[in-house]
Amino acid sequence: MRDFIARPEHGIVWISGASSGIGRALALKLAGEGYKVAVTARSHEKLVELQAEARGLDGSIVVLDGDVTDAEDMEHAMASIEYEHGTLAMAILNAGTYLPVHAEDLHRADFEKSFAVNLSGVVNCLLPAIRHMKAKGQGQIAIVSSVTGYGGLPTGAAYGATKAALINMAESLKFDLDKIGIRIQLISPGFVDTPATRKNAFPMPALVSTDEAARQIAAGLKSQAFEISFPKRFTTLMKLARLLPYSAYFALVNRVTGWRERPSSSGRHPVTPHPAE
């Protein structure tokens, strides 16, 4: 039996973190394919601009303001979809933030904000989405993680920890969601050209545009794959690197990033590039 694949006729697609980056590009891509897409973010103005840009496409975009760190906001967004716009067929949980952290200059706020947005923010959307889909007997959920979640990288103690948790979360939920007709997928991008990654001070291997990322994700959502990762050559190498013994893994990361040679006593390190939304 093939897993459920949401089509435009099945209902609405809900995308969190849709005001910029991957979320924005994916909303336009799916609207262009005829889907009705509900978009959520804190920036009302950017969502309205996105809605206007989608005019003339085969599908449409509905603006649902909200902060993923506020569970009540996400309950209200789900209620709006259910009672005002139609059945939720697919939820793409994409909202995320990247805050680099450095062991010699740690700040609790960097961890708390990263966990609140990247991890709790997903949970706040996930719970009402699953409840709605369970009642309907079908649905599709995609959680946006990152290849950073495959293994620890410099400056990634907060961001990478949340992405690793999302990988485990999606894997663990799949066992039970399979039983109730809800399909779950994991999206693991490499480096994508977004406002977050443009802050990086070093070249980013296999960098792809947000439009290419949206194309890859849209195709993956229609496949039977559990994980949607891209670009394949880079993401496969990242996954294989994590199979190395720790001594070899740490040596490899230090060599590739040059991290060991960078000073740690004269202020904060430059930001090491991380795959991000």
Side-chain angles (χ1 to χ4, degrees):
M1 181 178 177
R2 293 175 66 82
D3 292 332
F4 173 75
I5 297 177
R7 305 293 184 188
E9 61 269 21
H10 291 141
I12 293 175
V13 177
W14 180 23
I15 303 178
S16 67
S19 61
S20 64
I22 292 175
R24 188 181 195 282
L26 185 57
L28 289 171
K29 172 66 174 173
L30 294 179
E33 294 180 357
Y35 290 88
K36 186 175 184 179
V37 183
V39 292
T40 298
R42 290 178 300 173
S43 176
H44 176 75
E45 293 77 12
K46 289 182 179 179
L47 293 183
V48 170
E49 290 173 4
L50 174 61
Q51 184 181 48
E53 190 172 341
R55 290 188 187 127
L57 298 178
D58 291 340
S60 61
I61 287 179
V62 175
V63 172
L64 298 176
D65 297 328
D67 182 345
V68 296
T69 67
D70 187 327
E72 189 173 334
D73 267 8
M74 296 304 97
E75 289 285 353
H76 288 161
M78 184 67 254
S80 179
I81 291 172
E82 187 170 11
Y83 295 110
E84 299 177 29
H85 302 292
T87 297
L88 177 66
M90 183 192 305
I92 302 170
L93 310 184
N94 166 75
T97 188
Y98 167 50
L99 300 174
V101 299
H102 306 261
E104 71 275 19
D105 187 22
L106 293 175
H107 299 274
R108 183 182 300 275
D110 291 339
F111 288 90
E112 290 178 341
K113 183 174 181 179
S114 297
F115 296 163
V117 176
N118 299 356
L119 190 53
S120 294
V122 168
V123 173
N124 290 340
C125 299
L126 191 65
L127 268 58
I130 289 177
R131 187 174 64 247
H132 176 93
M133 292 175 180
K134 181 181 177 182
K136 302 297 181 183
Q138 67 181 22
Q140 185 174 354
I141 294 170
I143 294 177
V144 178
S145 180
S146 164
V147 294
T148 304
Y150 293 166
L153 295 173
T155 76
Y159 179 79
T162 64
K163 296 304 184 178
L166 292 179
I167 291 172
N168 189 287
M169 181 189 296
E171 292 171 347
S172 299
L173 287 171
K174 187 178 189 312
F175 295 102
D176 288 332
L177 293 180
D178 280 350
K179 297 178 182 179
I180 56 176
I182 300 175
R183 181 182 181 207
I184 189 165
Q185 289 175 286
L186 177 68
I187 301 173
S188 302
F191 291 109
V192 180
D193 184 15
T194 69
T197 58
R198 286 172 201 146
K199 299 175 184 177
N200 293 328
F202 304 99
M204 293 172 282
L207 182 71
V208 300
S209 67
T210 52
D211 287 342
E212 175 60 16
R215 187 189 71 79
Q216 295 270 4
I217 293 170
L221 293 170
K222 299 177 186 68
S223 76
Q224 291 293 312
F226 168 71
E227 184 179 37
I228 304 167
S229 64
F230 57 90
K232 280 295 183 183
R233 180 178 296 180
F234 176 66
T235 58
T236 300
L237 287 174
M238 289 286 288
K239 187 171 286 189
L240 289 174
R242 199 59 189 89
L243 299 177
L244 295 171
Y246 273 121
S247 58
Y249 175 78
F250 292 136
L252 175 64
V253 172
N254 270 316
R255 179 177 179 180
V256 170
T257 64
W259 198 255
R260 187 180 293 277
E261 287 70 39
R262 293 178 188 163
S264 59
S265 59
S266 58
R268 292 173 70 97
H269 287 297
V271 175
T272 288
H274 277 256
E277 289 79 6

